[in-house]
Amino acid sequence: MAAKHDKVIITAALAGAATMKHQNPNVPYTRDEFVAEAVKCYEAGASIVHIHARDPETGLPTADLDILGAIVEGIRNETPLIINLSTAIGIGATKEQRISVVEAFKPEMASLNTNSMNFAVGDWKEHKVLYEIIFENTFDMLVNYAKTMRECGTKPELEIYDMGGLYNVLFVRHQGIFEEPLHFQFVWGVLGGMPFSPRNFSLFLDTIPEDATWSTCGVGPAQFMGAMYAAPIGGHIRVGLEDNIWVSKGKLAEGSWEQVKKAVKIAKLADREVATPDEAREMLNLKKL
């Protein structure tokens, strides 16, 4: 079993690469929308914001560093939140573009995807795939991205979609490329990855190093299923419109901040307090700003 903490760290993933305004009008596209949403998430109880930049005109994910830089600067100026940048960015981003966000901004945290996989959107009633890509994350990318993050003082958030990704991390870990202890994000419900279940959760927890920290996120209903499972056993929680457009069944979230408020309630029901950004920095052993 991995390390436990008394306080819960809540991350808000504000937009992602796929969720659009026609699905939920509160998905941020512009710099001002991102900053305003981050402020609301901080006020609601988040310590971390996870960011994929969007083209403000089309809403599509973008690798434009000027657009991302304006968002990062705005959030840093308005809040003490920990910035966690995506190295996935979106469909079509090159390997060089994906790691450039770390090289350019040296954030406190960044996502590090751990294995190549089928990544799909499906019709769960008809059990048909509607859209799919091969999400490329080779061993070479895992190692070189990790080395770049270490050079930049950026803590990798190791994204775990299935056991293969977890074992990949444990294999390359012996190269000394990660700052220890490791921090994992368990991602539930992606078509091509593992679904949420207590059994699958236990597999992850029984396999990661004892001193590791971990958080849970999930697509759609798996978001709060994972949160409710994690809160009583010492885990951390990620919510946000990147993963789930709802705050409860049939009710669209008014923003990622509303999901943060629900995560706070879940933490308190488990008799755990919510970490401030500075407490989260200490718990995750992040670099000093």
Side-chain angles (χ1 to χ4, degrees):
M1 184 67 71
K4 294 183 179 180
H5 289 101
D6 291 335
K7 293 192 175 183
V8 179
I9 299 168
I10 298 176
T11 297
L14 303 183
T19 314
M20 303 295 287
K21 284 185 182 291
H22 71 266
Q23 297 169 289
N24 186 317
N26 299 302
V27 177
Y29 287 179
T30 69
R31 178 261 187 205
D32 289 350
E33 287 175 337
F34 272 99
V35 174
E37 186 67 16
V39 169
K40 289 179 181 178
C41 287
Y42 167 64
E43 292 173 344
S47 293
I48 303 172
V49 284
H50 177 67
I51 303 168
H52 296 242
R54 297 293 189 95
D55 183 309
E57 299 297 327
T58 66
L60 296 175
T62 178
D64 188 314
L65 293 178
D66 290 335
I67 291 175
L68 178 60
I71 294 168
V72 169
E73 182 182 21
I75 293 173
R76 284 177 173 167
N77 287 341
E78 296 292 331
T79 77
L81 287 164
I82 296 164
I83 302 289
N84 178 332
L85 296 183
S86 173
T87 60
I89 297 180
I91 297 171
T94 66
K95 296 176 185 179
E96 293 76 21
Q97 287 173 324
R98 288 175 59 182
I99 195 59
S100 70
V101 302
V102 173
E103 295 167 329
F105 303 111
K106 298 178 174 56
E108 292 177 86
M109 298 182 75
S111 62
L112 181 52
N113 293 283
T114 55
N115 63 309
S116 298
M117 61 183 289
N118 295 330
F119 200 104
V121 175
D123 181 332
W124 290 89
K125 293 182 180 179
E126 298 293 330
H127 292 277
K128 293 181 180 179
V129 172
L130 303 176
Y131 176 80
E132 66 175 323
I133 62 168
I134 300 296
F135 186 23
E136 184 182 13
N137 298 289
T138 63
F139 277 107
D140 182 69
M141 292 169 67
L142 176 59
V143 169
N144 286 319
Y145 284 15
K147 288 179 178 178
T148 297
M149 289 183 188
R150 184 162 187 168
E151 290 168 1
C152 292
T154 297
K155 178 89 171 189
E157 178 186 77
L158 297 159
E159 310 297 329
I160 305 298
Y161 296 86
D162 59 33
M163 290 298 292
L166 179 47
Y167 281 117
N168 290 351
V169 170
L170 297 181
F171 178 78
V172 302
R173 177 191 184 201
H174 295 283
Q175 298 181 30
I177 57 177
F178 301 117
E179 287 287 345
E180 304 275 346
L182 304 180
H183 179 66
F184 294 90
Q185 180 76 265
F186 303 149
V187 186
W188 306 109
V190 171
L191 184 56
M194 290 176 73
F196 170 82
S197 74
R199 179 177 179 275
N200 288 342
F201 223 130
S202 295
L203 283 172
F204 284 169
L205 292 177
D206 288 344
T207 307
I208 64 177
E210 288 188 0
D211 64 347
T213 53
W214 58 274
S215 177
T216 178
C217 71
V219 175
Q223 182 182 81
F224 287 114
M225 289 180 186
M228 290 177 181
Y229 192 87
I233 60 172
H236 307 294
I237 298 169
R238 171 173 131 173
V239 293
L241 297 185
E242 170 170 348
D243 306 315
N244 177 27
I245 61 175
W246 311 95
V247 70
S248 57
K249 188 174 182 179
K251 183 181 183 300
L252 287 174
E254 294 182 21
S256 295
W257 63 269
E258 189 178 20
Q259 295 176 344
V260 171
K261 289 181 68 175
K262 184 171 179 176
V264 169
K265 290 179 182 179
I266 291 169
K268 291 187 175 180
L269 285 170
D271 288 328
R272 294 176 68 198
E273 296 298 317
V274 174
T276 66
D278 282 344
E279 289 170 335
R281 288 181 172 96
E282 183 175 352
M283 293 161 66
L284 296 175
N285 194 32
L286 302 186
K287 66 182 179 182
K288 304 296 182 183
L289 293 177

